[in-house]
Amino acid sequence: MARAVIAIHGGAGAISRGQMSADKEQAYIRALSDIVGAGQEILAAGGSAIEAVTEAVRLLEECPLFNAGIGSVFTRDGTHEMDACVMDGATLNAGAVAGVRHLRNPVLAARLVLERSPHVLMIGDGAEAFAMQHGMTPVSPEIFSTEERRQQLLQAIGAQQVALDHSAPLDEADKLGTVGAVALDLAGNLAAATSTGGMTNKLPGRVGDSPLPGAGCYANNANVAVSCTGTGEVYIRAQAAYDIAALMEYRCLSLHQATERVIMEKIPTLGGDGGAIAVDREGNVALPFTTEGMYRAWAWVGDAPSVGIYRE
Amino acid sequence: MARAVIAIHGGAGAISRGQMSADKEQAYIRALSDIVGAGQEILAAGGSAIEAVTEAVRLLEECPLFNAGIGSVFTRDGTHEMDACVMDGATLNAGAVAGVRHLRNPVLAARLVLERSPHVLMIGDGAEAFAMQHGMTPVSPEIFSTEERRQQLLQAIGAQQVALDHSAPLDEADKLGTVGAVALDLAGNLAAATSTGGMTNKLPGRVGDSPLPGAGCYANNANVAVSCTGTGEVYIRAQAAYDIAALMEYRCLSLHQATERVIMEKIPTLGGDGGAIAVDREGNVALPFTTEGMYRAWAWVGDAPSVGIYRE
């Protein structure tokens, strides 16, 4: 029997101890701990990896602290455009949505695409129409808006900063752009899920790595489940999530060697930064990142959860 | 100096000699030959691989015989939604658009995303707005429509066939879903481009592998340029284009070994079929496919072009 485990992230970026109030830090720690605990319970009860990652990401979307679902950042036009992906390592089936604006939980729409359509990726109005045909209810876009994200947009617009250059982030928040979960269940199945509100002040229509299988999300029972967060364009060009799997499969690298190679070496060489969470078929966990911090938590079934924000 | 070469495809599918009139066959052969010749001339004059593949795909989009740009198939709603991607092996930069409806040449919009934005993938109205800000003119969607494609839609609707199952194509045409080009230039740079109108009677919002770097399009000077055509969902799940590169890079497979492994073995194992064209850094060309036929042509600089439709 495999050593069941779940890991989650709430984005990577310039998170410095100095700028974080004690209250806010506690709020993040509590949210991460609660959410990873919810995923852990699903696994402990014999639930599947895909159930556990879907529910963990749904809870991350529900939490306004993180840039996905409620709490999503604003586009340049003051709207929210969200993307999500789930992948089932047992079947290599994947489902994803991009550019959705009226679905409370994009990860549940991605799951519907996986389970109820022959397709992998659906975008925009077509994705929303599909989700509604399968029982989802449209919501008003205001539910995603939080005062903090609006201030970030006003700040960006006021400073005439546009998210045109990933190497010069307009503020700390524009990189905290993703949430995700990876899990190994008691039956030995791997799964991954990723969801995002994108970048503050982004051009409407821009899609990053989060909803793209192989870029920001990948799972294969043969080796690994991965969810990425960082400069999305670089993660797409590097095929970051699949590249970790390929290095394990074709080069026989360990989980730690493969994630280090991609996240700490290849992504920076292409001018990107960020992190990833990954779980292999033996239940090992890796959580590398090149930024100052990454909101993260992980928990083996039967153990107490671990939570991290900054570099150790 | 590298042996400069270009290869193009106009889709793979159930193309049988019996059902093709001599006139139609000649029209395909002439179009493929002319277009590969145009790309060959660019390379012979010292043009870059990215120029050659962009122009070849633009010409394939202009030709109503192929399902991309003019001649795109219809969605279930009688509209056209097109996707395209270009990738530059010298820089690993990529540009792509998905779900565009008013851009005559989606591949030129993808090229604009590559060259004039910090982004990789733009979708829908946002992609069109970006393209228009950079000088593209919107066109009426009717220009993409051809009588043959409309008949295919009516046939599909009349038979209440929906493209829900790739293993049971509604007719021959729904698989002829993509065009593409790969090239190696005299300076040793590789590039790839892919463009598509999708599947006849597809759900609006569905996106296949064509606009996704690593899935339907990939180029890296270190090893290979690839453009795919086939059951898009499977090509996404398999990360088909990048997987060919990974097998060459990490397993030291030859171009022919790597393309055979992915197109002839891994894709069918996942229930998919189709083909790919690929050129490696030494100027070798591979054009494998599992379907009855694949419209294809290839030409080394200084040699006469070769054209193929059926299995040899």
Side-chain angles (χ1 to χ4, degrees):
Chain A
M1 192 174 272
R3 194 175 179 209
V5 62
I6 181 164
I8 64 173
H9 70 81
I15 311 163
S16 65
R17 275 198 174 83
Q19 295 183 307
M20 175 90 82
S21 72
D23 279 0
K24 198 165 177 190
E25 188 177 295
Q26 276 311 307
Y28 275 108
I29 290 171
R30 201 174 320 116
L32 290 165
S33 180
D34 287 352
I35 293 168
V36 85
Q40 190 188 30
E41 275 180 35
I42 292 170
L43 296 175
S48 67
I50 190 106
E51 281 302 331
V53 298
T54 306
E55 176 62 7
V57 168
R58 188 190 70 79
L59 291 169
L60 288 158
E61 288 175 345
E62 288 291 318
C63 178
L65 292 170
F66 304 107
N67 174 19
I70 291 160
S72 284
V73 298
F74 287 88
T75 68
R76 195 194 55 184
D77 295 356
T79 58
H80 302 286
E81 292 184 354
M82 296 163 289
D83 314 320
C85 183
V86 289
M87 187 156 179
D88 181 354
T91 58
L92 296 182
N93 279 334
V97 294
V100 297
R101 288 171 293 189
H102 305 88
L103 301 176
R104 182 178 180 104
N105 291 110
V107 72
L108 298 184
R111 185 83 185 274
L112 277 179
V113 173
L114 189 163
E115 297 194 335
R116 308 286 289 277
S117 89
H119 301 313
V120 169
L121 174 58
M122 298 202 65
I123 65 175
D125 294 344
E128 297 194 348
F130 170 81
M132 288 163 202
Q133 277 159 22
H134 289 84
M136 291 186 80
T137 313
V139 296
S140 165
E142 289 87 53
I143 73 156
F144 303 114
S145 307
T146 63
E147 188 48 33
E148 187 167 353
R149 300 298 186 202
R150 196 181 302 277
Q151 288 306 320
Q152 288 167 354
L153 177 66
L154 294 175
Q155 224 174 22
I157 291 172
Q160 294 186 292
Q161 288 174 299
V162 186
L164 282 179
D165 183 353
H166 289 292
S167 64
L170 55 96
D171 72 11
E172 293 177 21
D174 77 327
K175 290 203 175 176
L176 309 176
T178 315
V179 305
V182 291
L184 173 70
D185 64 27
L186 291 168
N189 294 307
L190 289 163
T194 307
S195 179
T196 189
M199 297 189 305
T200 292
N201 208 16
K202 73 178 175 184
L203 283 182
R206 175 263 182 186
V207 174
D209 61 314
S210 302
L212 306 185
C217 186
Y218 186 75
N220 186 338
N221 275 10
N223 36 56
V224 71
V226 184
S227 173
C228 299
T229 170
T231 34
E233 279 72 11
V234 174
Y235 280 69
I236 298 175
R237 292 161 57 202
Q239 292 295 296
Y242 181 69
D243 200 29
I244 290 169
L247 283 164
M248 293 176 70
E249 178 82 11
Y250 299 147
R251 275 277 171 89
C252 301
L253 295 196
S254 71
L255 175 74
H256 286 272
Q257 288 169 329
T259 53
E260 287 280 313
R261 181 77 56 87
V262 173
I263 302 302
M264 311 304 281
E265 295 172 24
K266 294 178 82 166
I267 293 287
T269 300
L270 287 171
D273 59 11
I277 55 171
V279 171
D280 71 12
R281 57 191 284 190
E282 287 161 5
N284 297 303
V285 175
L287 308 100
F289 55 95
T290 54
T291 44
E292 277 188 65
M294 179 168 78
Y295 297 112
R296 62 200 186 277
W298 62 105
W300 283 276
V301 166
D303 283 4
S306 303
V307 178
I309 297 179
Y310 317 107
R311 273 186 193 296
E312 300 310 307
Chain B
M1 193 173 273
R3 194 174 180 212
V5 62
I6 181 165
I8 64 173
H9 70 81
I15 311 164
S16 65
R17 275 198 173 83
Q19 294 183 309
M20 175 89 82
S21 71
D23 279 359
K24 198 165 176 189
E25 187 177 294
Q26 276 310 308
Y28 275 108
I29 290 170
R30 200 173 321 116
L32 290 164
S33 181
D34 287 352
I35 293 169
V36 84
Q40 190 187 32
E41 275 180 35
I42 291 170
L43 296 174
S48 67
I50 190 105
E51 281 302 330
V53 297
T54 306
E55 177 62 7
V57 168
R58 188 190 70 80
L59 292 168
L60 287 158
E61 288 175 344
E62 288 290 318
C63 178
L65 291 171
F66 303 107
N67 173 19
I70 292 159
S72 283
V73 297
F74 287 88
T75 68
R76 193 195 56 185
D77 294 356
T79 58
H80 303 286
E81 293 184 352
M82 296 164 288
D83 313 319
C85 184
V86 290
M87 188 157 177
D88 181 355
T91 58
L92 296 181
N93 278 334
V97 294
V100 296
R101 288 171 292 188
H102 305 89
L103 301 176
R104 183 179 179 104
N105 292 109
V107 72
L108 298 184
R111 185 83 185 274
L112 276 179
V113 173
L114 189 162
E115 297 193 335
R116 308 286 290 276
S117 90
H119 302 312
V120 169
L121 173 59
M122 298 200 66
I123 65 174
D125 294 343
E128 296 193 349
F130 170 81
M132 288 163 201
Q133 277 158 22
H134 290 83
M136 292 187 80
T137 312
V139 296
S140 165
E142 290 86 53
I143 71 157
F144 303 114
S145 306
T146 64
E147 187 49 32
E148 187 166 353
R149 300 296 186 202
R150 197 181 300 276
Q151 288 306 319
Q152 288 168 353
L153 177 67
L154 294 175
Q155 224 172 23
I157 291 172
Q160 294 186 292
Q161 287 174 300
V162 185
L164 283 179
D165 184 352
H166 288 293
S167 65
L170 54 95
D171 71 11
E172 292 178 21
D174 77 327
K175 290 205 178 176
L176 309 177
T178 313
V179 306
V182 291
L184 173 70
D185 64 28
L186 291 168
N189 294 306
L190 289 162
T194 307
S195 180
T196 190
M199 297 190 305
T200 293
N201 208 16
K202 73 178 174 185
L203 282 183
R206 177 263 183 185
V207 174
D209 62 315
S210 302
L212 305 185
C217 185
Y218 187 75
N220 186 338
N221 275 9
N223 35 57
V224 70
V226 184
S227 173
C228 299
T229 171
T231 34
E233 278 72 12
V234 174
Y235 280 69
I236 299 175
R237 292 163 55 203
Q239 292 295 296
Y242 180 70
D243 200 29
I244 290 168
L247 284 164
M248 294 177 69
E249 177 81 11
Y250 300 147
R251 276 276 172 89
C252 302
L253 296 196
S254 71
L255 176 74
H256 286 273
Q257 289 170 327
T259 53
E260 288 280 314
R261 181 77 56 87
V262 173
I263 303 302
M264 311 304 281
E265 295 172 24
K266 293 178 83 166
I267 294 287
T269 300
L270 287 171
D273 59 10
I277 54 172
V279 172
D280 70 12
R281 56 191 285 189
E282 288 160 5
N284 298 303
V285 174
L287 309 98
F289 55 95
T290 54
T291 45
E292 276 188 66
M294 179 169 79
Y295 297 112
R296 61 199 186 277
W298 61 105
W300 283 276
V301 166
D303 283 4
S306 303
V307 178
I309 297 180
Y310 317 107
R311 273 185 192 296
E312 298 311 306

